[in-house]
Amino acid sequence: ELKVEQNPLFLSMQEGKNYTIYCNYSTTSDRLYWYRQDPGKSLESLFVLLSNGAVKQEGRLMASLDTKARLSTLHITAAVHDLSATYFCAVDTWVDSNYQLIWGAGTKLIIKP
Amino acid sequence: NAGVTQTPKFRVLKTGQSMTLLCAQDMNHEYMYWYRQDPGMGLRLIHYSVGEGTTAKGEVPDGYNVSRLKKQNFLLGLESAAPSQTSVYFCASSYTTTASQETQYFGPGTRLLVL
């Protein structure tokens, strides 16, 4: 069974600080996704990581993927209030010809001025 | 482009009632998905479709049915609603290649309350 675990589930931090969100998954997969969700809103794609060693950056966010360790990280540099949101990682795979996209529980990030 | 739209935005049902949620996309995407999101949990895939006329079960399909009669539309049906189906339902779509699964684009969500 494919499981995706994120930690921490809740993070409160000060503006200007750096922090990392971790996403562990339990089975082999070469595709990992990061999404952002603002309260009461829909989900917005941040990154798609397609291979081992993949690193993508957008503004103050950087995501990486280590398929051997089954670990992805989302690093926040010099956080600003606008980055407050819930961040989800998701991993997909095929099981018996059925597509599965399994999501982590999400990390609620609050950035205080 | 409107992207992915969902109808209705909010609905209250009584136990045992039926309803259909409509998802529409104007991006010519092949793949469409229905998820539910419950508090404190990630999204769970209910059903998905890899093209017009085809559907498949996801992680939590029981109690739901789907249809994809047109490429741009994906319908989610609840035949006999139960309180456990109270949730926020998201539709998503993606245009895939044979080599990789691309990002999914999400609709605004439908809040369903079953009393």
Side-chain angles (χ1 to χ4, degrees):
Chain A
E1 181 185 354
L2 176 57
K3 292 184 179 179
V4 179
E5 293 184 348
Q6 287 182 238
N7 74 83
L9 297 181
F10 179 79
L11 177 59
S12 179
M13 55 193 291
Q14 296 292 125
E15 278 192 325
K17 299 291 186 182
N18 304 331
Y19 210 81
T20 300
I21 299 170
Y22 298 89
C23 177
N24 290 89
Y25 54 99
S26 62
T27 192
T28 56
S29 175
D30 292 329
R31 292 179 291 273
L32 189 135
Y33 308 81
W34 283 99
Y35 285 84
R36 167 183 173 148
Q37 185 178 36
D38 293 307
K41 302 292 186 182
S42 188
L43 288 92
E44 174 190 358
S45 175
L46 294 174
F47 302 107
V48 182
L49 302 169
L50 298 176
S51 61
N52 187 43
V55 177
K56 290 192 175 180
Q57 183 164 4
E58 180 74 31
R60 301 175 186 272
L61 301 178
M62 183 174 71
S64 65
L65 177 62
D66 181 344
T67 58
K68 294 180 181 178
R70 299 179 185 172
L71 171 68
S72 179
T73 60
L74 180 65
H75 186 73
I76 303 151
T77 302
V80 294
H81 178 68
D82 287 351
L83 291 178
S84 296
T86 299
Y87 292 86
F88 292 93
C89 64
V91 176
D92 68 5
T93 188
W94 291 84
V95 179
D96 297 330
S97 300
N98 286 323
Y99 174 74
Q100 291 189 17
L101 180 62
I102 308 299
W103 294 70
T107 296
K108 186 172 183 178
L109 176 62
I110 295 177
I111 299 170
K112 301 177 180 178
Chain B
N1 288 348
V4 180
T5 59
Q6 292 182 231
T7 308
K9 289 185 171 55
F10 178 71
R11 183 76 182 267
V12 179
L13 290 179
K14 294 181 180 179
T15 297
Q17 287 185 317
S18 63
M19 77 163 294
T20 300
L21 282 67
L22 171 64
C23 175
Q25 54 93 6
D26 60 1
M27 296 174 282
N28 201 33
H29 285 169
E30 293 292 335
Y31 279 47
M32 297 186 75
Y33 316 80
W34 274 108
Y35 295 94
R36 60 178 289 172
Q37 185 178 35
D38 299 299
M41 299 180 67
L43 278 72
R44 290 184 290 171
L45 182 63
I46 304 171
H47 286 278
Y48 67 98
S49 169
V50 302
E52 181 178 322
T54 67
T55 63
K57 294 179 180 180
E59 184 185 0
V60 288
D62 294 342
Y64 305 94
N65 56 75
V66 289
S67 64
R68 184 103 180 264
L69 299 180
K70 294 182 179 180
K71 185 177 183 178
Q72 63 268 34
N73 295 336
F74 195 30
L75 278 63
L76 177 70
L78 285 74
E79 292 186 348
S80 179
S84 61
Q85 293 178 305
T86 293
S87 189
V88 180
Y89 292 85
F90 286 100
C91 176
S93 69
S94 66
Y95 179 76
T96 63
T97 68
T98 55
S100 65
Q101 197 86 350
E102 293 189 4
T103 189
Q104 296 182 14
Y105 295 84
F106 282 81
T110 295
R111 294 183 178 274
L112 176 64
L113 174 61
V114 182
L115 302 175

